[in-house]
Coordinates of all heavy atoms in Angstrom, one line a residue:
L214 N -73.0 -22.0 44.9 CA -73.7 -23.0 45.7 C -73.0 -23.3 47.0 O -73.6 -23.5 48.0 CB -73.8 -24.3 44.9 CG -74.9 -24.3 43.8 CD1 -74.7 -25.5 42.8 CD2 -76.3 -24.3 44.4
L215 N -71.6 -23.4 46.9 CA -70.8 -23.6 48.1 C -71.0 -22.5 49.1 O -71.2 -22.8 50.3 CB -69.4 -23.8 47.8 CG -68.4 -24.2 49.0 CD1 -68.9 -25.5 49.6 CD2 -67.0 -24.2 48.5
V216 N -70.9 -21.3 48.7 CA -71.1 -20.1 49.6 C -72.5 -20.1 50.2 O -72.7 -19.9 51.4 CB -70.7 -18.8 48.9 CG1 -71.1 -17.6 49.8 CG2 -69.2 -18.8 48.6
A217 N -73.5 -20.4 49.4 CA -74.9 -20.4 49.9 C -75.0 -21.6 50.9 O -75.7 -21.4 52.0 CB -75.9 -20.6 48.8
W218 N -74.4 -22.7 50.6 CA -74.4 -23.9 51.6 C -73.8 -23.5 52.9 O -74.4 -23.7 54.0 CB -73.7 -25.1 51.0 CG -73.9 -26.3 51.7 CD1 -74.9 -27.3 51.5 CD2 -73.2 -26.8 52.8 NE1 -74.8 -28.3 52.4 CE2 -73.7 -28.0 53.2 CE3 -72.1 -26.3 53.5 CZ2 -73.2 -28.8 54.3 CZ3 -71.5 -27.1 54.6 CH2 -72.1 -28.3 55.0
L219 N -72.6 -22.8 52.8 CA -71.9 -22.4 54.0 C -72.7 -21.4 54.8 O -72.7 -21.4 56.1 CB -70.5 -21.9 53.7 CG -69.5 -22.9 53.3 CD1 -68.3 -22.2 52.7 CD2 -69.1 -23.7 54.5
T220 N -73.3 -20.4 54.1 CA -74.0 -19.4 54.8 C -75.2 -19.9 55.6 O -75.5 -19.4 56.7 CB -74.5 -18.4 53.7 OG1 -73.4 -17.9 53.0 CG2 -75.2 -17.2 54.4
N221 N -75.8 -20.9 55.1 CA -77.0 -21.5 55.7 C -76.8 -22.8 56.5 O -77.7 -23.3 57.2 CB -78.0 -21.7 54.7 CG -78.5 -20.4 54.0 OD1 -79.1 -19.6 54.6 ND2 -78.1 -20.3 52.8
S222 N -75.6 -23.3 56.5 CA -75.3 -24.6 57.2 C -75.5 -24.5 58.7 O -74.9 -23.6 59.4 CB -73.9 -25.0 56.9 OG -73.6 -26.2 57.7
P223 N -76.3 -25.4 59.2 CA -76.5 -25.5 60.7 C -75.3 -26.3 61.4 O -75.3 -26.3 62.6 CB -77.8 -26.2 60.8 CG -77.9 -27.1 59.6 CD -77.2 -26.4 58.5
T224 N -74.4 -26.9 60.6 CA -73.4 -27.7 61.2 C -72.0 -27.2 61.0 O -71.1 -27.6 61.8 CB -73.5 -29.2 60.6 OG1 -73.3 -29.0 59.2 CG2 -74.8 -29.8 60.9
V225 N -71.7 -26.4 60.0 CA -70.3 -26.0 59.8 C -70.2 -24.5 60.1 O -71.0 -23.7 59.6 CB -69.9 -26.3 58.4 CG1 -68.5 -25.7 58.1 CG2 -69.9 -27.8 58.1
T226 N -69.3 -24.1 60.9 CA -69.1 -22.7 61.2 C -67.6 -22.3 60.9 O -66.7 -23.0 61.3 CB -69.3 -22.4 62.7 OG1 -70.6 -22.9 63.0 CG2 -69.2 -21.0 63.1
L227 N -67.4 -21.2 60.2 CA -66.1 -20.7 59.9 C -65.9 -19.4 60.6 O -66.8 -18.7 60.9 CB -66.0 -20.5 58.4 CG -66.4 -21.5 57.4 CD1 -66.2 -21.0 56.0 CD2 -65.6 -22.8 57.6
E228 N -64.6 -19.1 60.9 CA -64.2 -17.8 61.5 C -63.2 -17.2 60.5 O -62.1 -17.8 60.3 CB -63.6 -18.0 62.8 CG -63.3 -16.7 63.5 CD -62.8 -16.9 64.9 OE1 -63.4 -17.6 65.7 OE2 -61.7 -16.3 65.2
L229 N -63.6 -16.1 59.9 CA -62.7 -15.4 59.0 C -61.9 -14.4 59.8 O -62.5 -13.4 60.3 CB -63.5 -14.8 57.9 CG -64.4 -15.7 57.1 CD1 -65.2 -15.0 56.0 CD2 -63.6 -16.9 56.5
N230 N -60.6 -14.5 59.8 CA -59.7 -13.6 60.5 C -58.9 -12.8 59.5 O -58.2 -13.3 58.7 CB -58.7 -14.5 61.4 CG -57.8 -13.6 62.2 OD1 -57.1 -12.8 61.7 ND2 -57.9 -13.9 63.5
A231 N -59.1 -11.5 59.6 CA -58.4 -10.6 58.7 C -56.9 -10.7 58.6 O -56.3 -10.6 57.6 CB -58.8 -9.1 59.0
N232 N -56.3 -11.0 59.7 CA -54.8 -11.2 59.8 C -54.4 -12.4 58.9 O -53.3 -12.5 58.4 CB -54.3 -11.4 61.2 CG -54.5 -10.1 62.0 OD1 -54.4 -9.0 61.5 ND2 -54.9 -10.3 63.3
V233 N -55.3 -13.4 58.9 CA -55.0 -14.6 58.1 C -55.3 -14.4 56.6 O -54.6 -14.9 55.8 CB -55.8 -15.9 58.7 CG1 -55.6 -17.1 57.8 CG2 -55.3 -16.2 60.1
L234 N -56.3 -13.7 56.3 CA -56.8 -13.6 55.0 C -56.1 -12.5 54.1 O -56.7 -12.2 53.0 CB -58.3 -13.4 55.0 CG -59.1 -14.5 55.5 CD1 -60.6 -14.1 55.7 CD2 -59.0 -15.7 54.7
T235 N -55.0 -12.0 54.5 CA -54.3 -11.0 53.7 C -54.0 -11.5 52.3 O -53.9 -10.6 51.4 CB -53.0 -10.5 54.4 OG1 -52.2 -11.6 54.6 CG2 -53.3 -9.8 55.7
F236 N -53.9 -12.8 52.1 CA -53.5 -13.3 50.8 C -54.7 -13.2 49.8 O -54.5 -13.5 48.6 CB -53.0 -14.8 50.9 CG -54.1 -15.7 51.4 CD1 -54.9 -16.3 50.5 CD2 -54.2 -16.0 52.7 CE1 -55.9 -17.2 50.9 CE2 -55.2 -16.8 53.2 CZ -56.1 -17.4 52.3
T237 N -55.8 -12.8 50.2 CA -57.0 -12.7 49.3 C -57.1 -11.3 48.7 O -58.0 -11.1 47.8 CB -58.3 -13.1 50.0 OG1 -58.5 -12.1 51.1 CG2 -58.3 -14.4 50.6
N238 N -56.3 -10.4 49.1 CA -56.4 -9.0 48.6 C -56.2 -8.9 47.1 O -56.9 -8.2 46.4 CB -55.4 -8.1 49.3 CG -55.7 -7.9 50.7 OD1 -56.8 -8.2 51.2 ND2 -54.7 -7.4 51.5
K239 N -55.2 -9.6 46.5 CA -54.9 -9.5 45.1 C -55.8 -10.5 44.3 O -56.1 -10.3 43.1 CB -53.4 -9.8 44.9 CG -53.0 -9.4 43.5 CD -51.5 -9.3 43.4 CE -51.0 -8.7 42.1 NZ -49.6 -8.5 42.1
N240 N -56.1 -11.7 44.9 CA -56.9 -12.7 44.2 C -58.0 -13.1 45.1 O -58.0 -14.0 45.9 CB -56.0 -14.0 43.9 CG -55.0 -13.7 42.8 OD1 -55.3 -13.4 41.7 ND2 -53.7 -13.7 43.2
S241 N -59.1 -12.3 45.0 CA -60.2 -12.5 45.9 C -60.9 -13.9 45.8 O -61.5 -14.4 46.7 CB -61.3 -11.4 45.7 OG -61.8 -11.4 44.3
E242 N -60.7 -14.5 44.6 CA -61.2 -15.9 44.4 C -60.7 -16.9 45.5 O -61.3 -17.8 45.8 CB -60.9 -16.4 43.0 CG -61.2 -15.6 41.9 CD -60.1 -14.6 41.4 OE1 -59.4 -14.1 42.3 OE2 -60.0 -14.4 40.2
L243 N -59.5 -16.6 46.0 CA -58.9 -17.5 47.0 C -59.7 -17.5 48.3 O -59.6 -18.5 49.0 CB -57.5 -17.1 47.3 CG -56.5 -17.3 46.1 CD1 -55.1 -16.8 46.4 CD2 -56.4 -18.8 45.7
L244 N -60.6 -16.6 48.6 CA -61.4 -16.6 49.7 C -62.3 -17.8 49.7 O -62.5 -18.5 50.7 CB -62.2 -15.3 49.9 CG -63.2 -15.3 51.1 CD1 -62.4 -15.5 52.4 CD2 -63.9 -14.0 51.1
V245 N -62.9 -18.1 48.5 CA -63.7 -19.3 48.4 C -63.0 -20.6 48.6 O -63.5 -21.5 49.3 CB -64.4 -19.3 46.9 CG1 -65.1 -20.6 46.7 CG2 -65.3 -18.2 46.7
F246 N -61.7 -20.6 48.2 CA -60.9 -21.8 48.4 C -60.5 -21.9 49.9 O -60.4 -23.0 50.4 CB -59.7 -21.8 47.5 CG -60.1 -22.0 46.1 CD1 -60.3 -21.0 45.2 CD2 -60.4 -23.3 45.6 CE1 -60.7 -21.2 43.9 CE2 -60.8 -23.5 44.3 CZ -61.0 -22.4 43.5
F247 N -60.3 -20.8 50.5 CA -60.0 -20.8 52.0 C -61.2 -21.4 52.7 O -61.1 -22.3 53.5 CB -59.7 -19.4 52.5 CG -59.6 -19.3 54.0 CD1 -58.3 -19.6 54.6 CD2 -60.6 -19.0 54.8 CE1 -58.2 -19.5 55.9 CE2 -60.5 -18.9 56.2 CZ -59.3 -19.2 56.7
M248 N -62.4 -20.9 52.4 CA -63.6 -21.4 53.0 C -63.9 -22.9 52.7 O -64.3 -23.7 53.5 CB -64.8 -20.6 52.6 CG -64.7 -19.1 53.1 SD -66.2 -18.1 52.9 CE -66.5 -18.2 51.2
A249 N -63.5 -23.3 51.4 CA -63.7 -24.7 51.0 C -62.8 -25.6 51.8 O -63.2 -26.7 52.3 CB -63.4 -24.8 49.5
G250 N -61.5 -25.2 52.0 CA -60.6 -26.0 52.7 C -61.0 -26.2 54.2 O -60.9 -27.3 54.8
W251 N -61.5 -25.1 54.8 CA -61.9 -25.1 56.2 C -63.1 -26.0 56.3 O -63.3 -26.8 57.2 CB -62.2 -23.7 56.7 CG -62.6 -23.6 58.1 CD1 -63.4 -24.4 58.9 CD2 -62.2 -22.6 59.0 NE1 -63.5 -24.0 60.1 CE2 -62.7 -22.9 60.3 CE3 -61.4 -21.5 58.9 CZ2 -62.5 -22.1 61.4 CZ3 -61.2 -20.7 60.0 CH2 -61.7 -21.0 61.2
T252 N -64.1 -25.9 55.4 CA -65.3 -26.7 55.4 C -64.9 -28.2 55.3 O -65.5 -29.0 56.0 CB -66.2 -26.3 54.2 OG1 -66.6 -24.9 54.4 CG2 -67.5 -27.2 54.2
K253 N -64.0 -28.5 54.4 CA -63.6 -29.9 54.2 C -63.0 -30.4 55.5 O -63.3 -31.5 56.0 CB -62.5 -30.0 53.1 CG -62.1 -31.4 52.8 CD -61.1 -31.4 51.6 CE -60.6 -32.8 51.3 NZ -59.6 -32.8 50.2
Y254 N -62.2 -29.6 56.2 CA -61.6 -30.0 57.4 C -62.7 -30.3 58.5 O -62.7 -31.3 59.2 CB -60.6 -28.9 58.0 CG -60.1 -29.3 59.3 CD1 -59.1 -30.2 59.5 CD2 -60.7 -28.7 60.5 CE1 -58.7 -30.6 60.8 CE2 -60.3 -29.0 61.7 CZ -59.3 -30.0 61.9 OH -59.0 -30.4 63.2
A255 N -63.7 -29.3 58.6 CA -64.7 -29.4 59.5 C -65.6 -30.7 59.3 O -65.9 -31.4 60.2 CB -65.6 -28.2 59.5
L256 N -65.9 -31.0 58.0 CA -66.7 -32.1 57.7 C -66.0 -33.4 58.0 O -66.6 -34.4 58.4 CB -67.2 -32.1 56.3 CG -68.2 -31.0 56.0 CD1 -68.6 -30.9 54.5 CD2 -69.5 -31.1 56.8
E257 N -64.7 -33.4 57.7 CA -63.9 -34.7 57.9 C -63.5 -34.9 59.4 O -62.9 -35.9 59.7 CB -62.7 -34.7 57.0 CG -63.1 -34.8 55.6 CD -61.9 -34.7 54.6 OE1 -60.8 -34.3 55.0 OE2 -62.1 -35.1 53.4
N258 N -63.8 -33.9 60.3 CA -63.3 -33.9 61.7 C -64.5 -33.6 62.6 O -64.4 -32.8 63.5 CB -62.2 -33.0 61.9 CG -60.9 -33.5 61.2 OD1 -60.2 -34.3 61.7 ND2 -60.6 -33.0 60.0

């Protein structure tokens, strides 16, 4: 639901940078948490 919300959101935009996301290689689930944290920041700011 969160990924679908983000994919279609007209108000929140994320930029995924491969240099930053190297920590998701071993635990791909962490990508969702990265996006969640960014979304929370965007909504609160």
Side-chain angles (χ1 to χ4, degrees):
L214 286 165
L215 181 61
V216 170
W218 190 94
L219 283 168
T220 302
N221 296 292
S222 174
T224 56
V225 175
T226 304
L227 310 180
E228 184 177 309
L229 303 179
N230 183 303
N232 295 325
V233 171
L234 294 174
T235 58
F236 64 89
T237 64
N238 293 344
K239 195 164 189 176
N240 291 295
S241 60
E242 305 93 324
L243 291 175
L244 179 59
V245 173
F246 291 97
F247 175 85
M248 294 188 303
W251 186 318
T252 300
K253 183 177 179 181
Y254 174 80
L256 291 176
E257 292 176 345
N258 291 278

